[in-house]
Amino acid sequence: MVKIGVLGLQGAIREHIRSVEAAGAEGIIIKYKEQLSDIDGLIIPGGESTTMRRLIDKYDFLDALADFGKHGKPIFGTCAGLILLANNIVGQDYAHLSLMDMKVERNAFGRQRESFEAEIDLKGVADNFEAVFIRAPYVVEVGPEVEVLATYQDKIVAAKQGHYLCSAFHPELTDDHRLTEYFVKMVEK
Ligand code: GLN
């Protein structure tokens, strides 16, 4: 059984653990950087990217997380986690982990659409995936190495770059675990 960590600083942690277990892997909450050596893949949950970054700095996680990815370990960023993976954030002159070559915009669907659900066609996963968006970002631009997996209203909402996966929505908040299963398969490879 592969071991999948969920970064446990802030956000939808428990829900991801439940989803990882439903997808047939072991889920481990990661609170210290030393725990990264025990896991095969990592999920960075949704929450608030600025708060998460503050906690990442407080617990000295930034380099350890970037190294985890650079050593070839799969990372799946959902919502705020997607923002943390990007190397370019609209309106900001700095990024966070800069592991994926893409430009993202925070809270991009607008205030009137703070949260909503939509059925999307998610390449390699399902053509009827029920996606839950909460103050969601979207991806504005991707580099040549990034494969777009899903769009919603012509905006990129899921993508993959080698061993990195991201979604603008929250796959852990429904009982449909197919995207988490997709990530577990990436980790098993
Ligand atoms: N709006 C949040 C941010 O900018 C992301 C929201 C979420 O993770 N649900 O970090």
Side-chain angles (χ1 to χ4, degrees), residues 117-128:
E117 289 183 30
E119 191 174 292
I120 58 168
D121 185 353
L122 188 51
K123 196 176 160 193
V125 178
D127 62 5
N128 61 341

Side-chain angles (χ1 to χ4, degrees), residues 45-50 78-81 83 106-107 134-137 168 170:
E48 195 57 46
S49 56
T50 47
T78 65
C79 206
I83 297 165
R106 298 180 61 202
N107 305 315
I134 303 171
R135 295 186 316 281
H170 286 257

Side-chain angles (χ1 to χ4, degrees), residues 136-149:
Y138 56 64
V139 180
V140 181
E141 249 171 53
V142 294
E145 316 250 287
V146 179
E147 184 190 1
V148 173
L149 299 183

Side-chain angles (χ1 to χ4, degrees), residues 49-50 53-54 57 62 83-84 86-98 104 106:
S49 56
T50 47
R53 173 59 191 271
R54 196 165 44 71
D57 289 341
L62 194 72
I83 297 165
L84 292 172
N87 64 358
N88 195 330
I89 302 169
V90 172
Q92 258 177 236
D93 56 9
Y94 66 95
H96 305 291
L97 296 170
S98 293
V104 303
R106 298 180 61 202

Side-chain angles (χ1 to χ4, degrees), residues 90-115:
V90 172
Q92 258 177 236
D93 56 9
Y94 66 95
H96 305 291
L97 296 170
S98 293
L99 293 171
M100 289 185 75
D101 187 14
M102 60 187 188
K103 183 177 193 172
V104 303
E105 180 160 356
R106 298 180 61 202
N107 305 315
F109 286 101
R111 288 210 148 269
Q112 69 281 21
R113 306 211 64 190
E114 285 246 306
S115 78

Side-chain angles (χ1 to χ4, degrees), residues 7 13 16 18 23 26-27 36 39 46 53 55 63 68 70 100 103 134 155 158 169 174 176 185:
L7 187 63
I13 301 159
H16 271 296
R18 186 188 65 105
E26 185 180 343
L36 293 171
I39 55 172
R53 173 59 191 271
L55 295 169
D63 291 343
F68 184 82
K70 285 173 188 159
M100 289 185 75
K103 183 177 193 172
I134 303 171
K155 312 296 186 194
F169 49 89
T174 68
D176 186 343
K185 288 205 187 84

